[in-house]
Each structure stands twice: as C-alpha cells, then as structure tokens.
Amino acid sequence: MYGNPTCLFPRHLMDLMPILWFFVLLSVDVTKQDRSDDMWDALTLRYRQWVKLPRTSHEAERQGYTRQNDICKTNSVSKYHGFLYKQQDDTKALPIYDLNGWIAGIQAMIPGNMNGFNSMNESIPLPHIDVMPPIMIGDIVDGIQMYTVTAYFKHPKLICNPIARIGITLGKGLYIQMGPDPVTMYQQIAMHAKDLSPIWKPGSCIPSMGLHYFRNLSKDLPCEKIYPVFLMYDTEGKLGAFGWSFQGKPMDVSSSKISWFRMTPQTYAFTFDTRVLPTCMFHEEFRIFGIHIWLQPHDSPKMTCPLVIQEPPTGSPVHKPSTINYTNGPKDPVITSRPVDDTNAAQSVSRLSSSMILISVATVTLLQFVTFQANLLS
Ligand SMILES: *[C@@H]1O[C@H](CO)[C@@H](O)[C@H](O)[C@H]1NC(C)=O
Ligand SMILES: *[C@@H]1O[C@H](CO)[C@@H](O)[C@H](O)[C@H]1NC(C)=O
Ligand SMILES: *[C@@H]1O[C@H](CO)[C@@H](O)[C@H](O)[C@H]1NC(C)=O
C-alpha cells in the first residue's frame, strides 16, 4: 500500500491531472518573464516618421549600420564605452551596443561650425563651453570638428563588463555621459519625477511625449547655458522619454531618415512654457534643434497627458492631489477617461479571473481528494 504513491490515486483522478495542470499554467502570468526590468520597451525616435533603434548589433548590421570601433572601452578622441554603430552619414542617432551585442546607449553628433547668441544677444560660436559636458569634443568629420552627447540605457559600468554587480544599480536606467570615462563620469537620471532635483523645471505636457522637464530653465538663465538634455515623464511620474536640445542651426546634408526638430521663437510654445524663457531666446535669429528619444512606447495610455481633474474642495483621501498644472501646453489638453484607472481596472479583472481559475482548480482537486478518501475509508 505504501510502496508506490501513485497507487493511492484512483485512475479517474490521475486522468484529470493534466487538465488541472493546464489550468494552473494558464493562470500563471508568463508575460512577467520578459526583459522589461532589464531593457526599455520602446527606444524609438521620431521626426516625420518613427524609427526604432535596432535591439541588437546583429539587427543593426542587417539594417546597414556599420561598427565604428573595435575595442569596447575606446580611447580615441571621442571616448565612450560600447560599440558605436552608424547608418551611412547619419550623425543624429548612433546606437551603442554592449559587449553582448544588446542595445546599451545612443550618441548624437553635432557640428562645431555653428553660431548662436549669449545672454547679451551677442553672436557666439557653438557649442558653448558652459554646456561641455555633457557635450564633448568628438572626431573631425569631413573637415568639421564634431561634438558628441552620449546616453546609456543601463549603468555605464555594465556596458563593457556585463557581469559587474557591485555598487551599481542594475536594470534599465538613463545615464548621461559627463566626462571622458563614463564609468565614473555620468549623470544618473531619476526614474521617477518625484526623485528629480528641483533644478529640473516642469514645462509643457504633450500627448504621446509626456510632461517635459528642463534643467534650470528660467527667465534668468543665460542662453549659452541652455542644457542639452531634457526629460519627459508619464502620467504616473515614470521616466518615459528624453531628448537632446541644442542652440544653433545646423546644416543638414545627411541622407538620414531622421530630421532634427527645429524651433524658432514662434514655435517655442510647442514644448516650452514661454513665460519662463530668457529674453535672449526671443532674438529673431535664435534657433533650437534636437531630437526626442522614447524609452516607453509613445502610444502608451500613460503618455497621453490627460487633463488634470482638480481636487474637489472636500478632497477624498483616495485621490492624489494634482500638484502639476497641465493646462499650459500649446493645445487644449485631450480630455480622456482617466486611462490609468481603466488600465488598473482591466488588470484587476484579469487578476480576478486567474484567481477564480486557481480557486476552481483547488476546489475540484480538494473535492476529488475528499471523495477518494471517503471511498478509501468506506
Ligand atoms: C541656474 O541658473 C541660474 C540663473 O538663473 C544660475 O545663476 C545658476 O548658476 C544656475 N545653476 C546651475 C546649477 O546651473
Ligand atoms: C535680446 O533680444 C531680445 C529680443 O529681441 C530682447 O527682448 C532683449 O531685451 C535683448 N537683450 C539684451 C540684453 O539686449
Ligand atoms: C492652472 O492653470 C489655470 C490656467 O492658467 C489657472 O487658472 C489655475 O489657477 C492653475 N492652477 C494651479 C493649481 O496652478
């Protein structure tokens, strides 16, 4: 009787087991096993069209990108870690891959032959020393001194040493290179808006882009100090995208699929709260150009910038108070039906149904077992 435990189960119950396991497996959420903790979902860019960065160096090679360096820790003029890939003469978006060939960062190059304006409306050569770093001196291409900005999607130490573990944040992130050695010279960007230093000032919220933050932007900021990095956070306050923005008007001769966004004083209102811009930005020749890089999918409901529902005076404790005024954007904010709540509701429904399946399976098993015990005892 105690020899073979399977003999304890009657035949009809054994036959049922595969079906029970099928239901148990169905209710296990396998989607949780993806690389989402490790890797950003989107990594897309847009200007005129959406462009997704190749996820691996192999995919990049298939798409016609060519590798620019052979050693992971470069020590040429332009110092960065990882393998930089370039598609034809596109200097706007150069993906960087780690030692294992996974997407790990992005670099942009801007030409050093541009002029702009300082706080006194005087003409100055660009880029200005006050924004170096994060702008760094790059290579000379076709006789023009290029400058670079580089961002990594995980801790820079992991790029050339994927098994590094000690003293660093693992998983996806955003790190801006701030010197020749990215392992020690970087700016780690807050994953959540609530952890941002107050030096980051909120600007407009733009549907599909999120709420913009600009570093130290105020009426008193000298124009030569306009920071080349800006950040975008979703309705839950999570980092959703970032961008480069530079003063100047680059010649664009490349055959690149992607164009820079370009702004003039007339179009600032698209991204900036024009009430806080320094007057030097309103010089009629002043130009801003740059690029947006999405970390989260741009069509995610969390990136829609819903109209903030103002607190009722009695304020029930369930609702979080709205601290940010989203109404200063260029367009009327889209009125949506609180997508965050909808998602949560949908999630709890699916969670409820999996729990129901689990409970049913458990009940059936228990009933079968009790019946079997009763049969044994009788
Ligand atoms: C921020 O901008 C002000 C001018 O508005 C300037 O005096 C200050 O040095 C800047 N701070 C940083 C950290 O750049
Ligand atoms: C610079 O030009 C802008 C726009 O023309 C003007 O509003 C501002 O007063 C000028 N600043 C100086 C310091 O001349
Ligand atoms: C939000 O902006 C509107 C329009 O500018 C203004 O009337 C309102 O007082 C602002 N609310 C807060 C909380 O700042």
Side-chain angles (χ1 to χ4, degrees):
M1 176 157 177
Y2 297 102
N4 187 350
T6 52
C7 298
L8 281 172
F9 294 95
R11 223 188 115 68
H12 65 274
L13 192 55
M14 288 306 294
D15 289 345
L16 263 172
M17 286 314 267
I19 299 164
L20 293 179
W21 277 115
F22 176 73
F23 279 110
V24 170
L25 287 178
L26 251 194
S27 56
V28 173
D29 192 355
V30 285
T31 57
K32 287 267 152 54
Q33 307 294 315
D34 64 13
R35 291 175 56 92
S36 65
D37 287 342
D38 214 25
M39 184 69 74
W40 291 102
D41 291 338
L43 300 176
T44 37
L45 292 88
R46 185 191 67 168
Y47 202 72
R48 298 207 185 108
Q49 61 172 312
W50 292 98
V51 177
K52 223 167 161 58
L53 290 178
R55 286 268 149 174
T56 63
S57 53
H58 293 296
E59 201 184 318
E61 278 158 20
R62 274 198 297 275
Q63 293 181 22
Y65 287 81
T66 52
R67 197 169 73 191
Q68 304 296 301
N69 56 302
D70 292 325
I71 297 168
C72 194
K73 297 179 184 179
T74 53
N75 59 31
S76 65
V77 194
S78 43
K79 295 181 178 70
Y80 51 83
H81 281 188
F83 298 101
L84 187 74
Y85 278 69
K86 192 173 173 185
Q87 200 176 32
Q88 286 139 27
D89 54 358
D90 181 5
T91 54
K92 301 182 190 88
L94 295 94
I96 292 174
Y97 298 90
D98 68 11
L99 207 56
N100 293 330
W102 286 101
I103 183 85
I106 189 168
Q107 184 177 87
M109 292 184 188
I110 58 168
N113 59 354
M114 303 178 296
N115 283 308
F117 299 95
N118 65 10
S119 57
M120 303 305 294
N121 293 340
E122 295 159 342
S123 178
I124 52 164
L126 295 172
H128 194 268
I129 188 89
D130 284 350
V131 284
M132 298 172 66
I135 297 181
M136 303 209 307
I137 298 175
D139 296 326
I140 293 174
V141 177
D142 296 334
I144 296 169
Q145 176 68 58
M146 302 297 281
Y147 290 81
T148 62
V149 278
T150 311
Y152 299 97
F153 303 136
K154 56 183 175 183
H155 193 286
K157 197 172 186 175
L158 295 166
I159 312 288
C160 298
N161 184 8
I163 57 163
R165 286 289 176 274
I166 295 156
I168 58 169
T169 317
L170 299 176
K172 67 187 175 195
L174 182 63
Y175 300 80
I176 310 296
Q177 184 163 349
M178 295 297 281
D181 180 10
V183 170
T184 53
M185 298 162 164
Y186 59 81
Q187 179 184 18
Q188 183 171 4
I189 301 299
M191 294 288 275
H192 204 282
K194 69 173 166 34
D195 301 322
L196 271 181
S197 136
I199 204 165
W200 289 94
K201 311 289 181 199
S204 303
C205 193
I206 304 173
S208 93
M209 291 184 175
L211 178 61
H212 286 55
Y213 283 83
F214 299 96
R215 195 169 190 275
N216 205 21
L217 188 63
S218 74
K219 270 191 160 338
D220 305 319
L221 184 71
C223 278
E224 56 273 33
K225 290 192 178 173
I226 295 171
Y227 202 64
V229 183
F230 61 98
L231 310 172
M232 286 152 274
Y233 289 83
D234 71 13
T235 51
E236 292 177 355
K238 290 186 188 140
L239 183 60
F242 73 106
W244 309 124
S245 65
F246 311 99
Q247 196 198 146
K249 192 180 174 186
M251 293 270 290
D252 200 353
V253 290
S254 80
S255 57
S256 160
K257 284 187 284 187
I258 301 168
S259 332
W260 298 114
F261 69 73
R262 289 169 189 270
M263 282 193 283
T264 67
Q266 288 77 41
T267 57
Y268 289 157
F270 184 64
T271 31
F272 297 108
D273 177 354
T274 49
R275 293 167 300 182
V276 299
L277 296 184
T279 53
C280 45
M281 272 182 77
F282 290 95
H283 188 289
E284 59 178 15
E285 297 288 312
F286 204 93
R287 294 292 180 270
I288 296 275
F289 70 98
I291 210 158
H292 281 89
I293 299 143
W294 276 261
L295 303 167
Q296 288 187 37
H298 64 274
D299 47 6
S300 148
K302 289 185 278 178
M303 299 286 275
T304 49
C305 299
L307 184 67
V308 169
I309 294 154
Q310 296 292 322
E311 271 301 275
T314 48
S316 76
V318 192
H319 285 93
K320 276 179 272 169
S322 50
T323 49
I324 296 155
N325 202 339
Y326 288 101
T327 54
N328 56 8
K331 299 172 205 146
D332 287 338
V334 184
I335 298 167
T336 63
S337 56
R338 310 264 310 168
V340 177
D341 289 358
D342 290 353
T343 329
N344 284 347
Q347 272 169 4
S348 34
V349 167
S350 74
R351 243 180 261 131
L352 190 69
S353 57
S354 1
S355 319
M356 289 302 284
I357 293 171
L358 265 182
I359 291 169
S360 331
V361 168
T363 316
V364 168
T365 316
L366 198 68
L367 277 179
Q368 294 273 1
F369 196 69
V370 167
T371 326
F372 165 62
Q373 292 272 312
N375 287 344
L376 264 192
L377 292 175
S378 62

